[in-house]
Amino acid sequence: MPPYCQAQEQAALAAARTRDDARYRAGCAIATTTALLLAPLAAQTPPQPTVMTIQLPETTTIADVVEQDVDGDGLLDLVLATRNRGERAAAVQVHLRAKDGAPFAASPSRPPFALDRDVVAVAFADLLPAPGRECVLLTPERAVAATFAADGSPEYTPLGAIQLVWPAVARGQAILLDDACGDLDGDGDDDLLLPEPDGAAWLRAEKEPLRWSLPAWRNPATAGQNGATGLRFDGSRLEAQLTFDDGDAEAARDNGPLARASFRTPTMRRIDLDGDGAVEVVAVRNDKAFVARMRDGALQASAITLPLPADRLIAFDPAFDVQFADCNGDTKADLLLTTSARRGDELEVRVDLFLARANGAFGDKQDARLRVQTLAVPPQLVDCDGDGVLDLALRTVKLDALRAFNGEAPTSIETQLTIFRGAGDRFVQPAMLATVLQVAARQDAGQPYLRVLHAPRGQAGSVLLREDDQLLRRPLAADGRKLRLDPPDCAMPLPKGARLQAANDAKEAFVRRAHELTHVRLP
Amino acid sequence: MGARFGLCELAAAIFALALRSPLAAQQPPALEPAAPIACELLADTDGDGCVELLVITRAGLVTRHALGSDGAFRAIGALQLSDPTHSLIAVADVDGAPGEELVCCDSTGTSWLPFPGADGVARPAVPLARRARCTLALGQPQASSFTQDLDQDGRVDLLVPSLQGVTPYRQEALAADGSRSFRALDRLVTPVRARVDDPGLERDGRPVRERTGSFVVPRIETEDLDGDGKPDLLTREGNVHAFHLQDEKGGFRAPRTVDLAQFEDSTPKAAVAPGSTLVLGDRQLLQRGDIDGDGIPDFVIAHRRKVWTFLSSKDGPQFTKAHTQAVADDVSAVLLADLDDDKKADLLAFQVQVPGIGALLLGLVQSIDIDIKAVGYRSEAGAFAGAPKWRRTITLRIPPILQLIGKQDELLAKVQAVADKARLGVRGAFTGKGRSDLALVRSDGLALDLHAMDGQAPTLASAAGRRLMRRVLFEDPNPVFDLDRVLTLVGGFLDEVSGGLVGDTPPVASTPLRDAKQWRLGDLLVGAFDGDGLADVIAVYDRVDDGSLPAKDLPLRAYERVRFAAK
């Protein structure tokens, strides 16, 4: 960054930080927008990205950030859920994306929308005749669209009764649902798919909601015997509930809570499974993929039994992952199934590719298999070499290096980024790229981040990663049939405690701190 | 002739075996409603001295069942809840007539719900407190302990939960015309626990398989804080604890509060060796226990290396006059427990040192140690001794995580074996009036054993737990505990508790339970169904889910009266 730019930015940030709280409370988000010029001639210093920072008052924290086309102009806008600590008030603010120039204004494009205390989640969908997408407020039992009258006062239109999977607001902040809105039935209009206990509600404009009910979540550990203990693995947690009873049932009943509720539902993903151009909703639970198709105003439900290997770890598999994507270009979604198995004293991860048959089903046996070490993150399907076919990027933990460690606890560990070329029906071995990367393992180190960026057609992609409090972009360069990870062509220092969040556009990312959001656009 | 003799001999042998066999039991037909069940309650709702089984479906249909002379359940009336997704259900005597009423608190208020009379005509709900509303998104009717006699004046009060706390409605004395009224008291702040899944995980590229949400409104904690024999209320909001003492008239005085944030040890936080260990916790801790043996709970606040002791009296808790003392290490947790059996609570301070991030990552392939320093100070003269009487560091050894994951089947089998030792049981006068017999699920889960007992059965959990804690912390010669040792300890503890409850005495009768692969025992209900003065046991089974039904159509339950042959 040229020195004058640095000075400008620091001065602006300092000024913003010292502004009095009263002005903050007036709802004026103070922001600093800095368009940084690249220094193409500075060969020693990698060019820096363009950044724009939204700063909130000290008493207001950023609870969530999503991108969504709020005004219906085809561009993804920025939506922030915020929480004011002192007043315990939650709000949503929208920053519309500009077609030209700086992508976002520093201050909200419309006044922040204060949320009532019972609003659990917020989505945006065009369900009313008003232009653009409405802000849909979701309480545990109601969906209401909020619009603004000519005088700016909010108007509320009930959309229907629901039962959200979240029965109460937690931590005083709302969840932003960026995956709820979409045209599920192909009629060109927005629909809302809302998570309900063990299912979902499908809300459409001026129509009765439809409901999708799923079987109950099955405990992969064990059900135990009569009247004994419940054991269950839930995500990364082992829960053991001991029914310790000396027979005084009355006392036990009186000691129970006054009220409680606990719900769950599988995450719903929208995928065009059969390649017909219309999306299906897929939910994975109990070793099955449950599929819902919304066609002709009706909901058609079906289920696919996942071809899981018999020797996989059943109760708790840290690598378990299910992805659907068209790997061989036949427009039908193929299945990428990641499971773990015990191999002697070692743990082995298998990434299996099942190609969709003509009828959309999957075979019992995988079409291709990769065996790798313990994964640090789920596999990423991305075209890294620009040939238009999805490749497979894996990040594994170098266990050998860990085992060789004898001294004090390490301050960094080695991970390996491996990229296998996609050949449509398999991933080609040996890998196109296998490179070792260090990950900080210190108390004050930020959360690790690595994302392989999609390659433009005919060119190699790149890798966006965090390294030593810097956000780096390292290009992938073609080296014959191999790929090479080059030194960074773009770098940006990260403030302490910052958390990185991927953006929809591979060239963009968000740097989040408690009161500050920085939008980063890479050159 | 010979054949006849043989048959008689055989019949006599079978008869004798049946008499002697602990599995000899008569199983009456079970009640298996077709609709998914929300909850069930036992109550004598018609005042005939016998309880009925009230089965409440998820859709809010309440069906009352009595036991017929053949031992089978017989439906004797049903009613429909008007707002099932917000209904809290309890049984309590609110009309003064014999028996108990079904009380419902929903979004329209609190009422009691009479069952249809003999003519089968529905009767309207009887309002109790229209402002006592439950608007929580429960999803289905829920049994709750919201009807309690908070001030022990013999009249049932209401505790109405919300996400902001609990509002008590105190029942006033009956009006001249016999009508009842409830007066709302100030809302009590309780630590309501609400959770939602973190959307940030998904945005960080860590897929979330299941989205989850929950809340729990805990009951109001009560304890006699001033030794007057009446329950007082304890509430908490963040660091501020409040104590509401009950006055002579049954009301509650303005709360005494203590803000733990005011108690700060100026000693710097324990130093941390870079990359090695961290001392868990740097917050103020509050514990209560009877330190001076006067029967009134006293309080201890600890922060880092400083401990403040506050003795309570008949005036209740006080937080102005403290005995302060320093302890050797930063405190991660404190416990007040009578370690030397002198009926006075001793101070047990723990310092937990967990490995740093680097060491935790190494824990993938190497075992890691978590050190727990335990220091015990004896209670003496209304405070704690300056020097610790008990002191030791024990080490919890965690095997390599990846090895644990790889061998999860063996680990789960071990944990399950220990967990299976925890047994469900109920007490009641099963074999004779005034007795406190114990019906306890057998350790293999195949049968329910009846143990005849005189008087109250011992409650061993706390005593056995204290013994186990003392042994583990200060007496066991080996201070290193790996996973196998921990499981062995817990299993031994459960064995000790179960053994202590029933001793070596064999059961006087047993009855087989259903096959847990099809129907799993979820609960045991106790009540006198048939007017013989003896209690009956109702086994409540959940049908094991085979995935064929959507979750909204579950759980399906079966209710079976358990009849012990020896009764």
Side-chain angles (χ1 to χ4, degrees):
Chain A
M1 183 190 294
Y4 70 90
C5 281
Q6 280 182 344
Q8 266 185 346
E9 167 138 65
Q10 282 167 3
L13 282 172
R17 287 197 182 104
T18 52
R19 277 177 193 135
D20 60 48
D21 266 0
R23 189 164 169 195
Y24 285 137
R25 274 196 293 272
C28 174
I30 304 304
T32 305
T33 308
T34 312
L36 297 172
L37 299 172
L38 301 181
L41 300 178
Q44 301 300 319
T45 314
Q48 296 201 340
T50 306
V51 299
M52 187 282 299
T53 302
I54 296 170
Q55 210 165 45
L56 301 175
E58 285 283 317
T59 52
T60 303
T61 52
I62 298 172
D64 201 4
V65 177
V66 295
E67 289 175 283
Q68 186 137 33
D69 180 7
V70 174
D71 54 0
D73 64 354
L75 300 175
L76 286 175
D77 308 307
L78 193 56
V79 184
L80 276 70
T82 64
R83 186 190 174 216
N84 185 298
R85 267 205 319 268
E87 297 162 18
R88 297 184 176 186
V92 169
Q93 65 185 55
V94 174
H95 297 251
L96 297 176
R97 188 185 287 257
K99 280 196 170 67
D100 306 305
F104 299 109
S107 52
S109 308
R110 49 179 76 160
F113 194 85
L115 302 177
D116 283 346
R117 209 168 44 182
D118 58 348
V119 174
V120 181
V122 174
F124 286 87
D126 187 9
L127 300 172
L128 300 179
R133 288 190 161 130
E134 295 83 45
C135 179
V136 180
L137 308 175
L138 303 163
T139 72
E141 297 176 309
R142 279 175 303 148
V144 176
T147 49
F148 294 94
D151 64 355
S153 60
E155 292 178 339
Y156 301 99
T157 309
L159 296 174
I162 53 170
Q163 191 198 351
L164 270 192
V165 72
W166 305 292
V169 177
R171 301 183 294 275
Q173 59 197 41
I175 298 168
L176 293 177
L177 294 180
D178 57 340
D179 56 353
C181 175
D183 178 12
L184 297 176
D185 50 4
D187 65 356
D189 293 331
D190 275 359
D191 305 307
L192 261 185
L193 188 77
L194 300 175
E196 294 198 319
D198 302 298
W202 178 27
L203 265 64
R204 303 160 294 164
E206 298 172 351
K207 288 174 190 156
E208 277 298 303
L210 289 175
R211 291 202 149 71
W212 186 27
S213 295
L214 296 171
W217 176 75
R218 204 167 49 224
N219 182 353
T222 171
Q225 64 182 32
N226 267 325
T229 305
L231 272 184
R232 67 180 198 183
F233 272 114
D234 192 358
S236 57
R237 235 177 11 192
L238 168 64
E239 291 177 0
Q241 186 185 356
L242 283 177
T243 311
F244 182 78
D245 207 320
D246 63 4
D248 195 349
E250 209 55 50
R253 203 150 290 153
D254 286 346
N255 285 338
L258 288 173
R260 62 157 43 138
S262 179
F263 305 123
R264 61 188 304 146
T265 195
T267 301
M268 313 271 169
R269 304 197 188 283
R270 281 174 287 158
I271 305 154
D272 179 9
L273 275 183
D274 48 14
D276 66 352
V279 293
E280 281 82 38
V281 179
V282 180
V284 174
R285 175 180 264 190
N286 302 345
D287 301 346
K288 285 183 177 169
F290 294 92
V291 181
R293 290 179 174 81
M294 283 60 164
R295 304 286 187 270
D296 304 322
L299 192 150
Q300 304 158 5
S302 59
I304 303 167
T305 300
L306 296 173
L308 292 162
D311 61 345
R312 74 187 181 101
L313 299 180
I314 290 172
F316 175 58
D317 182 353
F320 183 78
D321 186 60
V322 180
Q323 293 185 41
F324 292 93
D326 178 14
C327 293
N328 60 356
D330 66 354
T331 72
K332 291 188 175 58
D334 307 305
L335 169 66
L336 190 76
L337 196 56
T338 308
T339 56
S340 303
R342 183 177 164 184
R343 199 172 196 186
D345 281 343
E346 297 287 320
L347 206 60
E348 177 189 75
V349 175
R350 291 89 53 91
V351 184
D352 292 333
L353 176 65
F354 295 83
L355 295 175
R357 305 273 168 82
N359 61 358
F362 302 107
D364 292 336
K365 190 168 165 31
Q366 70 277 359
D367 294 282
R369 167 171 285 191
L370 291 172
R371 296 173 192 274
V372 293
Q373 285 201 327
T374 304
L375 288 176
V377 289
Q380 189 185 352
L381 283 167
V382 56
D383 178 13
C384 302
D385 51 6
D387 64 357
V389 181
L390 289 175
D391 308 307
L392 182 68
L394 302 174
R395 194 169 188 194
T396 51
V397 180
K398 297 273 287 177
L399 296 178
D400 295 343
L402 272 182
R403 285 198 183 94
F405 216 90
N406 289 319
E408 286 290 308
T411 53
S412 68
I413 62 162
E414 288 183 354
T415 64
Q416 179 165 304
L417 172 65
T418 314
I419 298 178
F420 296 93
R421 183 191 310 281
D425 59 346
R426 68 200 156 90
F427 298 105
V428 180
Q429 297 190 69
M432 282 194 285
L433 175 78
T435 187
V436 173
L437 298 165
Q438 296 287 332
V439 172
R442 303 185 311 270
Q443 199 64 30
D444 57 346
Q447 154 216 16
Y449 182 87
L450 185 141
R451 190 185 182 200
V452 180
L453 303 181
H454 192 80
R457 187 85 184 171
Q459 299 174 36
S462 52
V463 176
L464 196 62
L465 74 161
R466 176 182 208 144
E467 207 172 275
D468 288 337
D469 292 334
Q470 278 204 311
L471 177 65
L472 303 177
R473 185 179 63 187
R474 297 182 62 179
L476 291 166
D479 189 2
R481 298 288 292 167
K482 299 273 179 188
L483 284 177
R484 188 182 65 235
L485 188 62
D486 278 352
D489 68 349
C490 180
M492 182 188 135
L494 292 172
K496 212 174 172 66
R499 171 176 155 184
L500 281 162
Q501 181 176 317
N504 269 284
D505 185 337
K507 283 192 165 182
E508 297 181 355
F510 296 105
V511 180
R512 278 177 62 175
R513 297 172 78 194
H515 320 289
E516 196 176 81
L517 177 74
T518 301
H519 173 261
V520 179
R521 180 156 184 87
L522 304 165
Chain B
M1 181 75 180
R4 273 182 65 190
F5 177 77
L7 279 174
C8 288
E9 201 173 45
L10 183 64
I14 290 172
F15 183 65
L17 190 67
L19 278 182
R20 280 209 309 270
S21 166
L23 290 177
Q26 298 167 306
Q27 285 304 343
L31 169 68
E32 290 185 16
I37 303 300
C39 56
E40 54 282 308
L41 295 164
L42 293 185
D44 173 13
T45 54
D46 52 10
D48 65 354
C50 301
V51 297
E52 297 92 43
L53 171 67
L54 310 180
V55 177
I56 304 158
T57 66
R58 292 182 67 166
L61 181 69
V62 186
T63 310
R64 181 169 60 167
H65 301 269
L67 271 185
S69 54
D70 58 351
F73 288 102
R74 179 171 49 90
I76 51 165
L79 58 88
Q80 175 64 45
L81 301 178
S82 60
D83 183 16
T85 56
H86 303 102
S87 292
L88 293 173
I89 301 291
V91 285
D93 182 9
V94 288
D95 77 342
E100 294 175 304
E101 284 69 52
L102 180 68
V103 184
C104 177
C105 175
D106 62 23
S107 62
T108 61
T110 301
S111 324
W112 73 268
L113 311 175
F115 280 91
D119 55 3
V121 176
R123 293 156 66 191
V126 181
L128 291 172
R130 290 185 197 279
R131 288 171 55 210
R133 294 176 185 149
C134 173
T135 55
L136 295 165
L138 302 171
Q140 63 180 36
Q142 190 169 111
S144 163
S145 56
F146 76 97
T147 53
Q148 289 180 23
D149 185 1
L150 205 55
D151 48 9
Q152 294 194 339
D153 63 354
R155 295 188 291 267
V156 169
D157 308 302
L158 307 174
L159 291 166
V160 179
S162 69
L163 291 174
Q164 288 73 47
V166 176
T167 306
Y169 287 78
R170 186 167 166 251
Q171 189 176 165
E172 306 285 283
L174 283 177
D177 62 355
S179 62
R180 290 166 196 276
S181 61
F182 290 79
R183 185 168 60 89
L185 306 182
D186 289 341
R187 188 169 61 210
L188 302 170
V189 179
T190 51
V192 175
R193 296 188 300 275
R195 291 199 181 119
V196 299
D197 57 277
D198 181 4
L201 290 177
E202 193 86 13
R203 308 201 206 297
D204 289 342
R206 288 177 283 168
V208 176
R209 270 183 248 164
E210 297 266 332
R211 312 204 81 158
T212 55
S214 64
F215 71 79
V216 176
V217 185
R219 70 188 180 92
I220 296 287
E221 202 176 351
T222 58
E223 186 168 354
D224 179 9
L225 296 172
D226 52 5
D228 64 356
K230 295 177 183 171
D232 306 302
L233 310 179
L234 296 87
T235 60
R236 179 168 73 85
E237 184 175 23
N239 259 338
V240 179
H241 292 249
F243 308 92
H244 311 250
L245 299 182
Q246 195 177 146
D247 60 25
E248 301 75 24
K249 295 176 183 168
F252 292 95
R253 296 183 201 134
R256 285 178 199 176
T257 59
V258 58
D259 183 356
L260 297 191
Q262 292 176 343
F263 297 86
E264 193 167 340
D265 181 10
S266 53
T267 314
K269 194 181 169 197
V272 174
S276 59
T277 60
L278 297 169
V279 176
L280 264 194
D282 185 36
R283 60 195 175 90
Q284 289 88 348
L285 305 158
L286 177 76
Q287 280 285 317
R288 68 178 188 275
D290 185 6
I291 297 166
D292 54 4
D294 65 353
I296 298 172
D298 308 299
F299 291 83
V300 161
I301 296 173
H303 182 238
R304 292 183 189 161
R305 299 184 186 187
K306 204 165 180 179
V307 173
W308 293 262
T309 305
F310 299 93
L311 293 182
S312 305
S313 66
K314 295 200 167 180
D315 292 331
Q318 59 83 25
F319 296 93
T320 48
K321 272 176 63 182
H323 177 272
T324 57
Q325 70 184 97
V327 289
D329 298 300
D330 278 28
V331 174
S332 304
V334 286
L335 203 59
L336 292 177
D338 182 8
L339 291 172
D340 51 6
D341 294 324
D342 67 349
K343 310 284 185 212
K344 293 177 188 168
D346 307 299
L347 175 69
L348 195 49
F350 297 95
Q351 187 195 46
V352 183
Q353 294 183 336
V354 295
I357 287 176
L360 283 175
L361 285 168
L362 272 185
L364 286 172
V365 292
Q366 300 176 11
S367 67
I368 50 176
D369 288 349
I370 294 174
D371 287 338
I372 302 167
K373 277 189 199 173
V375 185
Y377 298 82
R378 198 171 176 275
S379 60
E380 54 183 37
F384 301 107
K389 182 176 179 193
W390 305 274
R391 176 195 281 271
R392 210 158 69 130
T393 299
I394 62 168
T395 302
L396 193 58
R397 182 154 295 161
I398 311 288
I401 303 293
L402 291 179
Q403 192 188 88
L404 268 186
I405 294 171
K407 294 181 177 174
Q408 58 182 251
D409 291 345
E410 291 126 83
L411 175 68
L412 274 177
K414 282 181 190 172
V415 174
Q416 190 65 56
V418 171
D420 286 346
K421 293 173 187 286
R423 296 150 70 182
L424 187 61
V426 283
R427 284 189 200 154
F430 305 125
T431 62
K433 287 181 184 172
R435 299 179 67 95
S436 182
D437 305 312
L438 179 68
L440 190 65
V441 175
R442 198 181 284 169
S443 56
D444 59 9
L446 297 177
L448 185 66
D449 290 338
L450 176 63
H451 297 269
M453 290 182 174
D454 284 324
Q456 286 297 307
T459 51
L460 293 173
S462 54
R466 222 169 34 235
R467 273 200 305 277
L468 174 72
M469 184 172 66
R470 200 166 52 204
R471 199 168 67 224
V472 168
L473 292 178
F474 303 115
E475 293 166 5
D476 200 301
N478 183 359
V480 179
F481 291 85
D482 58 17
L483 218 49
D484 280 336
R485 275 195 79 197
V486 170
L487 290 174
T488 307
L489 271 171
V490 176
F493 171 70
L494 293 171
D495 276 342
E496 188 181 341
V497 172
S498 298
L501 284 171
V502 299
D504 296 327
T505 319
V508 294
S510 293
T511 190
L513 294 170
R514 289 189 177 194
D515 181 359
K517 289 194 179 85
Q518 310 283 326
W519 290 91
R520 188 167 184 259
L521 182 70
D523 202 0
L524 294 169
L525 307 175
V526 177
F529 274 88
D530 50 11
D532 64 357
L534 297 182
D536 300 282
V537 179
I538 306 296
V540 183
Y541 293 95
D542 280 338
R543 202 187 91 168
V544 173
D545 176 26
D546 61 1
S548 61
L549 290 174
K552 69 182 174 60
D553 294 338
L554 295 172
L556 296 176
R557 288 197 180 144
Y559 304 88
E560 228 171 55
R561 183 195 189 187
V562 177
R563 235 180 207 170
F564 295 105
K567 186 180 166 185

